[in-house]
Amino acid sequence: MSELTGTGRTAGEPPELTGTLGTAGEPVGVLDGHLAGLAAALLPYRQAAGQLARWGGELARTLVEGGRLLVAGNGGSAAEAQHLAAELVGKLREDRVPLSAIALHAETSSVTAIGNDYGFEEVFARQVRAHGRPGDVLLLMSTSGRSANLLAAARAGRELGLRCWAFTGPAPNPLAERCAEALAVPAADPQVVQELHLVSAHLLCDYVDAALANGRGTGAAATGVAAPTSAAGVGVETDAGRDGPVPVRAAGYARTGRTRPSGVEALVLDGDASAGVDS
């Protein structure tokens, strides 16, 4: 027979933690309190997240035309930034061409060297200046929207002609104001903000994949206007046995006439499977 404590719980069982008070003033458990905060944020989040479809189309076009995504954050946001990069370089669900995404905080030697030589505020900005090219996308994640190193990165991105986006907590905040566009999660709890940032990362990848599968590579994912599927568009083989034109693998790469300022040639998808791949 289980031994009961004076409070009615089995001996050794952790006490029921309480958080906020419910509508009738009774204590709300940590689990219920957290889920209540998440649920309260979902409806306004749904409205704010509508722009992810357009972002996905724009990002898909950027990536297949030889551009890249640079993404960064601190702490838990750093983990989510790295998660997003992994979904693009690897895959979200179905197999498709790998897409160029770099999580700046994951460059540990660069981060520590830059932090040591230039200060922590510059750990992302200096990498943006090294890797970013006009037209690339810079996505910065912050629950507060006030991290100095992300603000410096946004400033560097704007100076170089990158499209700067942000995932933040409630607006207004400095990072949202410094970026061209921001998805500001309307929740006061930073944990809820981070959880919905992860949802946003998955949705963004879903929209990128949808744009690739539909042969669209711009805001067409939102407008319904198809982009060219020539060498400047999406050229992938599909598996007819699957539901819809899901890309299976890249049909090859070819150089375009567009070059990056550094002289590195942009790579785009092309139907010539014999074309080589430059690194």
Side-chain angles (χ1 to χ4, degrees):
M1 179 179 294
S2 298
E3 177 185 355
L4 297 179
T5 67
T7 59
R9 290 188 301 275
T10 303
E13 184 181 47
E16 177 68 17
L17 299 177
T18 58
T20 59
L21 295 180
T23 55
E26 73 279 7
V28 176
V30 169
L31 174 61
D32 290 339
H34 189 94
L35 293 179
L38 182 58
L42 288 179
L43 184 58
Y45 166 78
R46 183 184 181 93
Q47 298 172 347
Q51 64 187 312
L52 287 172
R54 176 171 51 80
W55 283 13
E58 292 179 7
L59 182 57
R61 180 60 177 262
T62 297
L63 297 178
V64 298
E65 287 187 342
R68 60 169 62 101
L69 171 69
L70 304 180
V71 59
N74 295 295
S77 296
E80 294 192 346
Q82 194 165 348
H83 186 134
L84 172 58
E87 302 285 22
L88 292 171
V89 177
K91 66 176 183 177
L92 182 65
R93 292 189 180 88
E94 303 293 340
D95 190 19
R96 52 136 168 82
V97 60
L99 302 170
S100 180
I102 302 174
L104 300 180
H105 65 276
E107 296 289 334
T108 54
S109 293
S110 294
V111 167
T112 52
I114 296 168
N116 186 62
D117 293 341
Y118 300 96
F120 190 67
E121 184 174 326
E122 288 295 310
V123 294
F124 299 139
R126 192 166 179 85
Q127 291 188 78
V128 169
R129 294 187 182 97
H131 302 303
R133 302 292 183 267
D136 285 349
V137 175
L138 174 64
L139 175 57
L140 304 170
M141 300 185 181
S142 171
T143 58
S144 69
R146 292 176 171 79
S147 300
N149 54 7
L150 298 178
L151 294 174
R155 181 170 58 250
R158 290 176 61 180
E159 290 171 353
L160 290 171
L162 279 71
R163 280 173 289 172
C164 299
W165 299 341
F167 286 173
T168 74
N173 63 71
L175 184 59
E177 293 171 359
R178 188 162 292 184
C179 291
E181 296 186 78
L183 193 163
V185 174
D189 186 348
Q191 295 177 16
V192 171
V193 172
Q194 281 191 343
E195 288 156 6
L196 291 178
H197 282 177
L198 181 56
V199 172
S200 301
H202 284 155
L203 286 172
L204 183 60
C205 291
D206 256 334
Y207 285 125
V208 167
D209 285 358
L212 294 175
N214 292 326
R216 298 197 292 261
T218 180
T223 65
V225 179
T229 55
S230 63
V234 181
V236 292
E237 294 183 357
T238 62
D239 184 348
R242 302 186 186 186
D243 294 332
V246 178
V248 176
R249 62 183 176 84
Y253 289 85
R255 297 183 180 89
T256 66
R258 183 167 66 91
T259 59
R260 296 178 178 275
S262 63
V264 179
E265 292 178 317
L267 301 176
V268 299
L269 298 180
D270 183 66
D272 182 6
S274 64
V277 179
D278 289 351
S279 60

